[in-house]
Amino acid sequence: TFTLSYVTGRSVGIGAYLCRLGSRVVQMQRGPMILTGYGALNKLLGRSLYTSQDQLGGPGIMMPNGVSHLLVQDDQEGVNSMLRWLSYVPDKVASSPPILSPIADPVDRDVEFTPKRGVPYNVRHMLAGTSEGDDTFLSGFFDKDSFVETLPEWGKTVVTGRGRLGGIPMGCVAVEVNSVECRTVADPGDAESREVVRQQAGQVWFPDSAYKTAQSIEDFNREGLPLIVFANWRGFSGGTRDMADSVLKYGAMVVDALVGYKQPVFVYIPPGGELRGGAWVVVDPTINSERMEMFADSDSRGGILEPAGICEVKFRAGDVIKQMHRLDDKLRELDADPVANAEAIKAREEVLMPVYQSIALEFADQHDRGGRMLAKGVVSAVLDWKNSRRSLHSRLMRRLNEQELERKALEAAPLLSESAKLWCARFGLRRLHEQGDSSVEAGDWDGAAEAVQKKWDSVADEKAATILTGDVERISRELESLKRASALEQALAAVGALDDAGK
């Protein structure tokens, strides 16, 4: 169910609760959400401490705490925001997301804005593109002018919103790479209260941003949107204050949200990005292998420990010194008389230590790159950022078409839910065979489930999407055949149950 509230004026008491219960809130600048008016609070406290409703529930309160998703200046902008939000949502539950056609921004164009390792950048430019000083537009990942950020003032180390990829609406979770400020306002009703401003490092999940991630993923799921996560986290903030603020609980909520996701989910480590530690565990596709896939950019890194950390565990100072004595000619000569040459050996080791440590770091770093991730089977493919739009659009079209056929198969044969995906695979291979494709041998589609799935997985995404949507009449006949077979199976099962009861 999709619910959206627009706060155009004062919303008090149960009205404020209804807005929050509606999950999605667009708030006008002059529309506070409050439980009790400031005048009543002043009477209760016996002093005139509050001077306006905005101190209690204005945008300065409701945007940073994550209650309001969007802030608008007037009703015209508010109505436009609601209509735009609705344009991303399917018209009914379990239907496909609304795809814009014709597509204003070509799917096969290059992504021009490219993040560079170690260079600060605005992650929104990576998603939506940006204009340079000479008015040259550098395109981002999503279609031009399609990305809309929500919850921008809450949990700032994570950026969430909705955009379109080749006209297909998607939910998006990305990571802020720069340090941000987390501000806690002072309460006029508490004489000892003070405003607190804390710095939060980029590429780290804090309690507020982890909660924001989980809530946004749940919203995208209820809206029926495919999801892309640009995973660029070094881990969770695990300090005393953050542990006390339930960062562990909110991190687990992210896992729960992904486990229950019903639409295609792409996890993509962007160029210059890295995925480390507990953050990898949270977004690993094995938690929902039916829906999730992970991709890595050719210039990304991934692994539980960073190179410096893995060297401290696997290649300590003693191990480095052993390698020096094994490989360095001068040290081997000095080892002929270690007692007499003790000072010379120590001096040589100190000279060589930075060189060997840098080599060890580079060696460890090589094991964190896309090729190694692909070889270990933890990512589905290594992508080039410039071509990522067309690659992921083709994959998304395939997954959406498979999911649509899966839904139709489940409607035709409700008892075959476990085999619905295999039915889609068999159907696709059968069509390939009937069309005379030489890559599929006769009878393969009627063989073992594993062989069928392997054959189907080998079909290119664009070709698979064409196969799954190319012949509506044939799809209808296959669904009718499946429906009859399912009805017969249910009838035979019912007769067998009666026979057992009679015995």
Side-chain angles (χ1 to χ4, degrees):
T1 303
F2 179 86
T3 52
L4 174 63
S5 302
Y6 175 43
V7 184
T8 182
R10 185 185 307 170
S11 184
V12 184
I14 189 62
Y17 276 112
L18 288 174
C19 291
R20 173 56 189 165
L21 290 171
S23 298
R24 303 161 190 83
V25 178
V26 178
Q27 185 176 14
M28 194 174 75
Q29 183 69 44
R30 299 183 300 278
M33 283 184 285
I34 57 176
L35 298 180
T36 305
Y38 76 94
L41 280 177
N42 287 336
K43 289 180 181 179
L44 180 66
L45 296 171
R47 291 179 294 170
S48 296
L49 298 174
Y50 299 99
T51 58
S52 72
Q53 311 291 13
D54 285 343
Q55 286 180 292
L56 304 174
I61 303 296
M62 293 302 170
M63 289 297 288
N65 69 12
V67 172
S68 295
H69 292 66
L70 292 173
L71 175 64
V72 297
Q73 300 302 316
D74 52 44
D75 287 337
Q76 180 67 52
E77 186 181 352
V79 172
N80 289 341
S81 297
M82 289 189 290
L83 290 175
R84 188 171 187 182
W85 200 325
L86 287 169
S87 71
Y88 292 98
V89 183
D91 58 346
K92 52 188 175 182
V93 177
S95 61
S96 299
I99 301 176
L100 290 184
S101 182
I103 303 170
D105 197 359
V107 174
D108 58 354
R109 68 159 171 82
D110 293 343
V111 182
E112 295 171 337
F113 181 87
T114 304
K116 294 181 174 59
R117 176 175 295 277
V119 178
Y121 65 94
N122 189 334
V123 69
R124 296 160 187 81
H125 296 167
M126 182 184 81
L127 304 175
T130 184
S131 296
E132 290 187 324
D134 57 353
D135 293 333
T136 301
F137 183 75
L138 296 178
S139 59
F141 179 80
F142 288 115
D143 297 350
K144 186 177 180 181
D145 299 328
S146 73
F147 179 72
V148 178
E149 183 180 359
T150 53
L151 302 169
E153 299 298 322
W154 177 46
K156 294 181 181 180
T157 61
V158 165
V159 175
T160 60
R162 293 153 185 81
R164 291 185 182 274
L165 177 61
I168 305 173
M170 299 188 76
C172 172
V173 176
V175 183
E176 178 61 73
V177 298
N178 303 307
S179 295
V180 298
E181 287 186 350
C182 177
R183 189 180 300 271
T184 303
V185 299
D187 185 356
D190 184 355
E192 297 182 359
S193 176
R194 297 289 184 273
E195 182 180 64
V196 179
V197 179
R198 299 193 303 270
Q199 290 291 324
Q200 292 182 335
Q203 297 180 272
V204 177
W205 256 318
F206 291 87
D208 55 352
S209 54
Y211 189 12
K212 173 181 176 178
T213 303
Q215 179 180 303
S216 297
I217 292 174
E218 290 175 353
D219 287 344
F220 299 148
N221 192 22
R222 285 193 290 266
E223 293 173 20
L225 297 179
L227 170 65
I228 183 165
V229 179
F230 290 97
N232 187 14
W233 286 285
R234 298 177 65 187
F236 286 85
S237 178
T240 301
R241 179 174 55 203
D242 295 320
M243 292 298 288
D245 288 342
S246 303
V247 67
L248 186 62
K249 177 173 70 176
Y250 296 137
M253 287 172 60
V254 177
V255 178
D256 291 338
L258 288 172
V259 168
Y261 213 85
K262 303 300 182 184
Q263 318 301 324
V265 180
F266 295 158
V267 180
Y268 181 32
I269 310 176
E274 55 184 326
L275 186 59
R276 304 287 184 186
W280 183 298
V281 177
V282 168
V283 298
D284 190 276
T286 56
I287 64 176
N288 186 357
S289 57
E290 289 294 309
R291 304 298 181 196
M292 294 178 66
E293 294 179 281
M294 182 179 284
F295 304 91
D297 190 81
S298 56
D299 188 33
S300 65
R301 304 290 189 273
I304 299 302
L305 294 176
E306 298 183 14
I310 199 68
C311 288
E312 288 181 4
V313 175
K314 294 287 189 178
F315 202 54
R316 300 180 179 180
D319 301 315
V320 176
I321 291 174
K322 287 180 182 178
Q323 292 296 325
M324 292 179 190
H325 286 265
R326 185 175 69 88
L327 299 173
D328 186 67
D329 293 337
K330 189 170 182 178
L331 279 176
R332 287 206 301 267
E333 292 176 3
L334 294 172
D335 285 340
D337 190 353
V339 177
N341 299 325
E343 292 186 3
I345 290 173
K346 184 178 180 180
R348 182 64 176 171
E349 288 173 350
E350 291 177 352
V351 171
L352 293 178
M353 182 61 74
V355 178
Y356 275 70
Q357 286 180 333
S358 65
I359 294 172
L361 288 173
E362 179 64 23
F363 182 75
D365 183 67
Q366 292 288 338
H367 286 72
D368 290 344
R369 300 189 184 185
R372 188 60 181 165
M373 287 188 269
L374 183 62
K376 297 297 290 184
V378 296
V379 298
S380 300
V382 177
L383 304 179
D384 179 31
W385 174 245
K386 184 174 68 172
N387 302 317
S388 59
R389 260 178 66 88
R390 61 178 69 94
S391 299
L392 291 178
H393 178 267
S394 298
R395 188 64 180 170
L396 180 58
M397 286 297 296
R398 173 182 181 145
R399 294 301 299 271
L400 288 175
N401 280 293
E402 286 179 344
Q403 189 166 303
E404 179 65 15
L405 278 182
E406 180 184 348
R407 183 183 64 81
K408 291 179 179 178
L410 289 173
E411 290 177 356
L415 297 182
L416 300 180
S417 58
E418 294 298 324
S419 59
K421 269 211 159 190
L422 292 177
W423 178 85
C424 290
R426 291 190 184 99
F427 178 75
L429 290 168
R430 183 182 304 178
R431 291 221 38 213
L432 280 176
H433 169 61
E434 290 176 351
Q435 291 176 355
D437 193 301
S438 59
S439 66
V440 181
E441 298 177 1
D444 274 353
W445 55 268
D446 204 20
E450 293 80 6
V452 169
Q453 192 67 49
K454 186 175 180 180
K455 279 286 188 181
W456 180 241
D457 288 343
S458 67
V459 177
D461 293 332
E462 290 185 5
K463 189 172 187 179
T466 303
I467 291 167
L468 293 172
T469 57
D471 193 333
V472 177
E473 292 183 2
R474 187 173 292 173
I475 290 174
S476 299
R477 290 198 302 269
E478 290 290 339
L479 288 170
E480 284 298 323
S481 176
L482 183 66
K483 190 173 183 178
R484 289 194 297 270
S486 177
L488 179 60
E489 182 179 348
Q490 293 181 55
L492 292 174
V495 171
L498 290 173
D499 289 343
D500 292 340
K503 292 178 181 178

